[in-house]
Structures are given as structure tokens and as C-alpha cells.
Amino acid sequence: MDDELLRLQVYRTFAWTGRAPSAVELADALDVTSSEVDAGLRRLAEERHVVLDPVGAIVMAHPFTAVPMGFSVMGDHTLWWGGCAWDSFALPQLLGDVVPGSSRVLVATTCPACGSPHAWNVDAAAPPEGDQVAHFLVPAAHIWDDVVHTCSNQRIFCSTGCVDDWLTRTGHPRGYVMDLATLWRLAAHWYDGRFEYGYRRHDPATAADYLRSVGLAGPFWGL
């Protein structure tokens, strides 16, 4: 079967419904067998287009996730789970021309340190206002060692003080802290092209160029 058609069907289902499609749904939509879908999803997982659970169900297709991971993203008609701070800020940038009512969304989360609620109107025009900071725990070189763990630990905190309190409580080493404007720039075009046939993920050189262009640097990012 055509793995690109499968990938696009996964993304379209997430975009329009906010949930992951089942193998049966994908087989019906593409007029193939569930076995062909299962094999295709495994190939897409090997290429890091999707993340599967131990039984082969879709957990993530960045920037979409099938399970709550700390963020909700609400458009005019659809609710998505945000896989992390990065992905949550990326959704309106990616979906604005694909799903009506998604070019401006409400991103909501809570501070992992103190539990304070936070929400921002996020769109493609400019970064949202706010003094909060994003903390990324896992360095770029190890993102895919356990990508669910990585995404679960890209969170937004009230302040650097809350980051420090959380690190002290959890025993984690300090990662990378950025303001909301940097987070928004990081998310803005990272996923460009995901709804196009023939999309290919960033290779190391283009990824490095992109990260530098949004103001990121240093060993944490492999730069």
C-alpha cells in the first residue's frame, strides 16, 4: 500500500476529529486490509512519522496526540490534545489553512510545579502575551529515546522559580528554558508540509538551521 496516503489519512483524521483513527477506519478509508494498515503504520513508526503503543494503536502523530499529555487545544469546532508545549503552539500554525476555525485556538495547561492554570489565545500572527516560561527536559539528541516521555516533559511553568521548585522536587537535571515568544517561533514552521503528499521530516542539517533561525543554540540542541 501507499504509506504516504496512509500517513495523510492519519493526519486528516486527527485534524478533523481530534482523535486517532483505528486500523479498521484507516482500512475502510483507503480500501485496503487491516493487516496492510498495521504493516504500514509500523513502517511509518520506523520513520518517526507516528508513535505506536505496544499493540500497534496510534499514540502520536506530531503535533497530534491521542491521549492527554498536559495540554488541551480548542478551536471553534474541535478539541485536540496537545502532546507538549511545542506541539500545542504548533497546531494553529499547521491547521489554519486546513480546518476552518482552527487558525486561532485556546491553549490551556497547568503549571507542573504549583498547579496554577494558564491559557493563551495562540495564532499564526504573533506570539501570545505572558511571562510564563517553557522548560524542555530532554536534550535534542535524546528526544526519540522515549518520545512520549520527552513530550510529557516539555511543559510551561509560571516562572523560572516554578521550574526550579519542580526540578528540586523531582530530582531532574535542568533542561532548557525559553520564553513564550521563543516557543512560538520554534513551533511556527517546524511542521510545515505535513499535509502534503511526499512530506519528509527534517534531516539533521535543516533541523539545525531551523533551530538557529528561531534563536536556539548550545549543546542542549546539538548546536
Side-chain angles (χ1 to χ4, degrees):
M1 68 171 297
D2 187 328
D3 288 353
E4 265 298 274
L5 291 181
L6 176 61
R7 184 188 67 80
L8 287 171
Q9 188 63 32
V10 170
Y11 271 80
R12 288 166 181 159
T13 303
F14 263 121
W16 284 94
T17 69
R19 61 174 182 79
S22 68
V24 172
E25 289 176 298
L26 291 167
D28 288 344
L30 299 172
D31 195 24
V32 296
T33 66
S34 293
S35 295
E36 289 176 295
V37 167
D38 290 338
L41 289 176
R42 288 194 295 271
R43 290 191 294 270
L44 290 177
E46 289 171 0
E47 295 178 4
R48 298 179 177 175
H49 289 298
V50 300
V51 179
L52 306 178
D53 70 11
V55 299
I58 299 168
V59 177
M60 305 182 77
H62 292 87
F64 300 106
T65 180
V67 295
M69 295 176 66
F71 293 85
S72 62
V73 181
M74 186 68 189
D76 286 354
H77 310 290
T78 309
L79 173 67
W80 300 273
W81 297 122
C84 57
W86 185 348
D87 288 350
S88 298
F89 272 46
L91 280 169
Q93 320 260 16
L94 176 66
L95 293 174
D97 295 329
V98 178
V99 179
S102 65
S103 59
R104 181 177 174 86
V105 301
L106 181 68
V107 175
T109 189
T110 57
C111 174
C114 69
S116 294
H118 298 290
W120 308 267
N121 288 312
V122 182
D123 59 28
E129 295 183 359
D131 296 327
Q132 299 89 348
V133 297
H135 177 260
F136 285 25
L137 179 65
V138 180
H142 297 287
I143 283 176
W144 283 91
D145 292 356
D146 182 345
V147 72
V148 174
H149 169 75
T150 296
C151 292
S152 298
N153 285 284
Q154 293 180 353
R155 299 294 301 274
I156 297 179
F157 293 75
C158 301
S159 63
T160 54
C162 272
V163 173
D164 292 338
D165 289 347
W166 181 77
L167 293 175
T168 298
R169 188 174 74 240
T170 62
H172 290 308
R174 190 177 186 85
Y176 193 95
V177 177
M178 67 185 79
D179 60 19
L180 294 185
T182 303
L183 175 64
W184 181 87
R185 292 195 302 272
L186 172 62
H189 297 291
W190 181 258
Y191 293 114
D192 284 0
R194 292 245 162 165
F195 284 97
E196 298 172 7
Y197 186 94
Y199 169 82
R200 291 293 179 267
R201 296 176 63 255
H202 295 288
D203 61 39
T206 58
D209 288 344
Y210 182 89
L211 294 173
R212 291 190 192 96
S213 76
V214 301
L216 299 178
F220 185 92
W221 298 101
L223 301 173

Short mmCIF file of all heavy atoms in Angstrom, two decimals, residues 140 175-178 182 185-186 207-223:
data_model
loop_
_atom_site.label_atom_id
_atom_site.label_comp_id
_atom_site.label_asym_id
_atom_site.label_seq_id
_atom_site.Cartn_x
_atom_site.Cartn_y
_atom_site.Cartn_z
N ALA A 140 17.96 17.49 22.69
CA ALA A 140 17.51 17.13 21.34
C ALA A 140 18.06 15.78 20.88
O ALA A 140 17.37 15.03 20.20
CB ALA A 140 17.92 18.23 20.36
N GLY A 175 16.91 21.47 32.23
CA GLY A 175 16.97 21.36 30.79
C GLY A 175 17.16 22.70 30.13
O GLY A 175 18.14 23.41 30.42
N TYR A 176 16.24 23.05 29.24
CA TYR A 176 16.34 24.32 28.51
C TYR A 176 15.09 25.13 28.78
O TYR A 176 13.97 24.63 28.64
CB TYR A 176 16.47 24.05 27.01
CG TYR A 176 16.89 25.25 26.20
CD1 TYR A 176 18.23 25.46 25.87
CD2 TYR A 176 15.95 26.18 25.75
CE1 TYR A 176 18.63 26.55 25.12
CE2 TYR A 176 16.34 27.29 25.01
CZ TYR A 176 17.68 27.47 24.69
OH TYR A 176 18.06 28.56 23.95
N VAL A 177 15.28 26.40 29.16
CA VAL A 177 14.17 27.29 29.47
C VAL A 177 14.07 28.36 28.40
O VAL A 177 15.09 28.94 28.00
CB VAL A 177 14.35 27.95 30.85
CG1 VAL A 177 13.22 28.94 31.12
CG2 VAL A 177 14.39 26.89 31.95
N MET A 178 12.86 28.60 27.90
CA MET A 178 12.64 29.64 26.90
C MET A 178 11.37 30.41 27.22
O MET A 178 10.47 29.89 27.90
CB MET A 178 12.56 29.04 25.50
CG MET A 178 11.33 28.16 25.25
SD MET A 178 11.32 27.36 23.63
CE MET A 178 12.46 25.99 23.91
N THR A 182 9.87 32.70 22.12
CA THR A 182 10.78 31.73 21.51
C THR A 182 10.04 30.42 21.22
O THR A 182 10.23 29.80 20.17
CB THR A 182 11.99 31.48 22.41
OG1 THR A 182 12.65 32.72 22.66
CG2 THR A 182 12.96 30.51 21.77
N ARG A 185 8.00 30.88 18.10
CA ARG A 185 8.84 30.85 16.90
C ARG A 185 9.28 29.43 16.58
O ARG A 185 9.30 29.02 15.40
CB ARG A 185 10.07 31.75 17.07
CG ARG A 185 9.77 33.23 17.13
CD ARG A 185 11.03 34.06 16.92
NE ARG A 185 12.07 33.76 17.90
CZ ARG A 185 12.18 34.36 19.08
NH1 ARG A 185 11.29 35.29 19.44
NH2 ARG A 185 13.16 34.05 19.91
N LEU A 186 9.63 28.67 17.61
CA LEU A 186 10.02 27.28 17.41
C LEU A 186 8.90 26.49 16.75
O LEU A 186 9.12 25.68 15.84
CB LEU A 186 10.40 26.65 18.75
CG LEU A 186 10.66 25.14 18.77
CD1 LEU A 186 11.83 24.78 17.87
CD2 LEU A 186 10.90 24.67 20.20
N ALA A 207 17.32 20.73 10.23
CA ALA A 207 16.81 20.92 11.59
C ALA A 207 17.69 21.91 12.35
O ALA A 207 17.19 22.80 13.04
CB ALA A 207 16.75 19.59 12.33
N ALA A 208 19.00 21.76 12.22
CA ALA A 208 19.92 22.67 12.90
C ALA A 208 19.75 24.10 12.41
O ALA A 208 19.73 25.05 13.20
CB ALA A 208 21.36 22.20 12.70
N ASP A 209 19.61 24.26 11.10
CA ASP A 209 19.41 25.60 10.53
C ASP A 209 18.12 26.22 11.07
O ASP A 209 18.07 27.42 11.39
CB ASP A 209 19.35 25.53 9.00
CG ASP A 209 20.71 25.27 8.38
OD1 ASP A 209 21.73 25.44 9.08
OD2 ASP A 209 20.76 24.88 7.20
N TYR A 210 17.08 25.41 11.15
CA TYR A 210 15.79 25.92 11.65
C TYR A 210 15.92 26.36 13.11
O TYR A 210 15.46 27.44 13.48
CB TYR A 210 14.71 24.85 11.50
CG TYR A 210 13.35 25.33 11.96
CD1 TYR A 210 12.49 25.96 11.07
CD2 TYR A 210 12.93 25.19 13.28
CE1 TYR A 210 11.25 26.42 11.48
CE2 TYR A 210 11.70 25.65 13.71
CZ TYR A 210 10.86 26.26 12.80
OH TYR A 210 9.64 26.74 13.22
N LEU A 211 16.54 25.53 13.92
CA LEU A 211 16.66 25.87 15.35
C LEU A 211 17.46 27.16 15.54
O LEU A 211 17.10 28.00 16.36
CB LEU A 211 17.32 24.71 16.09
CG LEU A 211 16.51 23.41 16.14
CD1 LEU A 211 17.34 22.29 16.76
CD2 LEU A 211 15.21 23.59 16.90
N ARG A 212 18.52 27.32 14.78
CA ARG A 212 19.29 28.57 14.87
C ARG A 212 18.45 29.76 14.44
O ARG A 212 18.54 30.84 15.03
CB ARG A 212 20.54 28.48 13.98
CG ARG A 212 21.61 27.51 14.46
CD ARG A 212 22.88 27.67 13.67
NE ARG A 212 23.81 26.56 13.92
CZ ARG A 212 23.91 25.49 13.15
NH1 ARG A 212 23.17 25.38 12.07
NH2 ARG A 212 24.77 24.53 13.46
N SER A 213 17.61 29.57 13.43
CA SER A 213 16.82 30.68 12.90
C SER A 213 15.80 31.22 13.89
O SER A 213 15.37 32.36 13.78
CB SER A 213 16.10 30.26 11.61
OG SER A 213 14.97 29.43 11.89
N VAL A 214 15.41 30.38 14.87
CA VAL A 214 14.43 30.84 15.85
C VAL A 214 15.10 31.25 17.16
O VAL A 214 14.41 31.53 18.15
CB VAL A 214 13.35 29.76 16.11
CG1 VAL A 214 12.63 29.42 14.82
CG2 VAL A 214 13.93 28.50 16.75
N GLY A 215 16.43 31.26 17.17
CA GLY A 215 17.15 31.78 18.32
C GLY A 215 17.62 30.74 19.33
O GLY A 215 18.01 31.11 20.45
N LEU A 216 17.61 29.46 18.96
CA LEU A 216 18.07 28.42 19.86
C LEU A 216 19.52 28.08 19.56
O LEU A 216 19.95 28.11 18.41
CB LEU A 216 17.19 27.17 19.75
CG LEU A 216 15.71 27.39 20.08
CD1 LEU A 216 14.93 26.12 19.88
CD2 LEU A 216 15.55 27.89 21.51
N ALA A 217 20.27 27.74 20.60
CA ALA A 217 21.69 27.44 20.42
C ALA A 217 22.17 26.62 21.60
O ALA A 217 21.46 26.47 22.60
CB ALA A 217 22.49 28.73 20.29
N GLY A 218 23.38 26.09 21.48
CA GLY A 218 24.01 25.42 22.59
C GLY A 218 23.94 23.90 22.52
O GLY A 218 23.23 23.33 21.69
N PRO A 219 24.65 23.23 23.41
CA PRO A 219 24.73 21.76 23.40
C PRO A 219 23.37 21.07 23.57
O PRO A 219 23.18 19.97 23.06
CB PRO A 219 25.65 21.45 24.60
CG PRO A 219 26.44 22.69 24.80
CD PRO A 219 25.53 23.82 24.43
N PHE A 220 22.45 21.69 24.32
CA PHE A 220 21.13 21.08 24.50
C PHE A 220 20.47 20.78 23.17
O PHE A 220 19.79 19.76 23.02
CB PHE A 220 20.24 21.99 25.34
CG PHE A 220 18.89 21.39 25.68
CD1 PHE A 220 18.74 20.69 26.88
CD2 PHE A 220 17.80 21.49 24.83
CE1 PHE A 220 17.52 20.12 27.21
CE2 PHE A 220 16.59 20.93 25.15
CZ PHE A 220 16.43 20.24 26.35
N TRP A 221 20.66 21.64 22.19
CA TRP A 221 20.07 21.49 20.87
C TRP A 221 21.02 20.84 19.87
O TRP A 221 20.70 20.74 18.68
CB TRP A 221 19.59 22.84 20.34
CG TRP A 221 18.53 23.42 21.21
CD1 TRP A 221 18.68 24.40 22.15
CD2 TRP A 221 17.17 23.02 21.28
NE1 TRP A 221 17.50 24.65 22.78
CE2 TRP A 221 16.53 23.81 22.27
CE3 TRP A 221 16.40 22.08 20.57
CZ2 TRP A 221 15.19 23.67 22.59
CZ3 TRP A 221 15.05 21.94 20.90
CH2 TRP A 221 14.46 22.74 21.89
N GLY A 222 22.19 20.44 20.34
CA GLY A 222 23.16 19.85 19.43
C GLY A 222 23.80 20.86 18.51
O GLY A 222 24.25 20.52 17.41
N LEU A 223 23.86 22.12 18.94
CA LEU A 223 24.38 23.20 18.10
C LEU A 223 25.65 23.79 18.70
O LEU A 223 25.85 23.76 19.88
CB LEU A 223 23.32 24.28 17.95
CG LEU A 223 21.99 23.85 17.35
CD1 LEU A 223 20.98 25.00 17.44
CD2 LEU A 223 22.16 23.43 15.90
#
